[in-house]
Amino acid sequence: MTKRQENALKTRQKILDAAYKLLNKNEFDDLSIDDITNYCNVAKGTFYTYFKHKEDIIFEICRPFFARIEEQMKQMTNKDIIERLTYYFVEFMKEVQRYGINLARVWIKGVTDPSKAPENYDNKKWQYDFTMLKNILNSAIQNKELKEDTPVELLSYVIISQLYGMMTIWCMSDGEFNPKNRAEKFCELQLKVLLKNYLVQT
């Protein structure tokens, strides 16, 4: 990598870091590109070198961390299906909580009506998460943890509804509860109940 390429990556990351810090203090709609570029001391034109829209920042900030969850789950060969789903659910909500309620609100607002979302908006995120849940359950069937007649699609919808519902209620309640703690409690009380009829007895 050339020195110029290194500097470009540093500048891009500088913009992302500035946006992240500002979004923890401000509503997304109130945050301007000028605010971001002034905060990190780069020219406004520099922002458009790396990003087309202000909305692009949200997904650039968040996407790598959800990819990390997926990668770590692939390595959890010594965990059972309940443990793997618990890990996924809790880590998902930890990431949502870490990025803050303002970013969660921006994402929810953008994806609830994909037809009105800006170009390049990450309006396929729910499909990504839904597919990931199906893959987790299907792998459990292959590993003889779950029965072959397990309703994978239905269970995936139920789980993702809980996941997204928790995130939405967190935003609606103005952060009145701890998402990570609530996720842990949900997994403790509900995951075994959801799967009990489909678990292979050992």
Side-chain angles (χ1 to χ4, degrees):
M1 184 182 294
T2 67
K3 186 68 175 176
R4 184 175 181 178
Q5 290 171 324
E6 287 181 6
N7 288 336
L9 287 175
K10 287 179 181 178
T11 301
R12 188 175 187 278
Q13 190 59 49
K14 189 177 181 181
I15 294 169
L16 287 170
D17 291 342
Y20 173 61
K21 290 176 182 177
L22 290 170
L23 282 165
N24 279 323
K25 301 175 183 177
N26 304 276
E27 292 292 337
F28 182 79
D29 289 343
D30 296 333
L31 184 64
S32 69
I33 291 172
D34 284 331
D35 292 330
I36 296 170
T37 54
N38 288 338
Y39 188 89
C40 61
N41 198 28
V42 301
K44 188 172 183 178
T46 302
F47 179 93
Y48 291 107
T49 300
Y50 304 101
F51 307 101
K52 289 184 179 181
H53 311 283
K54 185 177 68 169
E55 288 80 5
D56 293 343
I57 289 284
I58 301 298
F59 310 108
E60 287 294 322
I61 289 171
C62 300
R63 190 179 285 119
F65 294 92
F66 290 106
R68 175 184 59 80
I69 294 173
E70 181 178 18
E71 186 59 34
Q72 288 180 337
M73 289 198 68
K74 290 177 182 177
Q75 300 173 20
M76 298 175 68
T77 55
N78 61 332
K79 303 292 184 182
D80 66 31
I81 183 59
I82 300 294
E83 291 172 312
R84 295 199 303 278
L85 283 172
T86 297
Y87 175 84
Y88 173 72
F89 208 109
V90 172
E91 289 299 309
F92 187 104
M93 294 311 297
K94 278 172 62 178
E95 291 300 329
V96 169
Q97 184 175 0
R98 185 163 73 91
Y99 283 115
I101 200 167
N102 288 336
L103 268 71
R105 285 170 172 157
V106 171
W107 184 79
I108 291 169
K109 181 180 178 182
V111 299
T112 49
D113 188 352
S115 66
K116 295 182 180 179
E119 183 184 356
N120 295 328
Y121 217 69
D122 197 3
N123 54 25
K124 303 298 184 185
K125 178 70 168 64
W126 83 269
Q127 293 176 341
Y128 171 87
D129 292 331
F130 179 65
T131 299
M132 187 173 174
L133 283 168
K134 288 199 298 183
N135 290 341
I136 294 168
L137 294 174
N138 280 322
S139 70
I141 293 173
Q142 293 171 1
N143 295 335
K144 310 297 183 184
E145 296 177 86
L146 294 176
K147 299 175 182 177
E148 290 187 4
D149 63 348
T150 298
V152 169
E153 188 131 338
L154 176 60
L155 288 173
S156 297
Y157 271 120
V158 170
I159 294 170
I160 202 171
S161 296
Q162 290 288 339
L163 193 65
Y164 284 6
M166 189 178 297
M167 178 171 59
T168 302
I169 292 171
W170 182 55
C171 293
M172 292 172 66
S173 70
D174 204 22
E176 287 186 359
F177 62 88
N178 183 301
K180 173 183 173 291
N181 293 347
R182 192 65 58 87
E184 290 172 342
K185 185 58 66 175
F186 166 79
C187 293
E188 178 185 337
L189 295 175
Q190 293 295 323
L191 277 184
K192 286 185 179 179
V193 174
L194 282 173
L195 298 178
K196 70 176 182 178
N197 291 332
Y198 311 106
L199 290 170
V200 174
Q201 302 299 320
T202 57

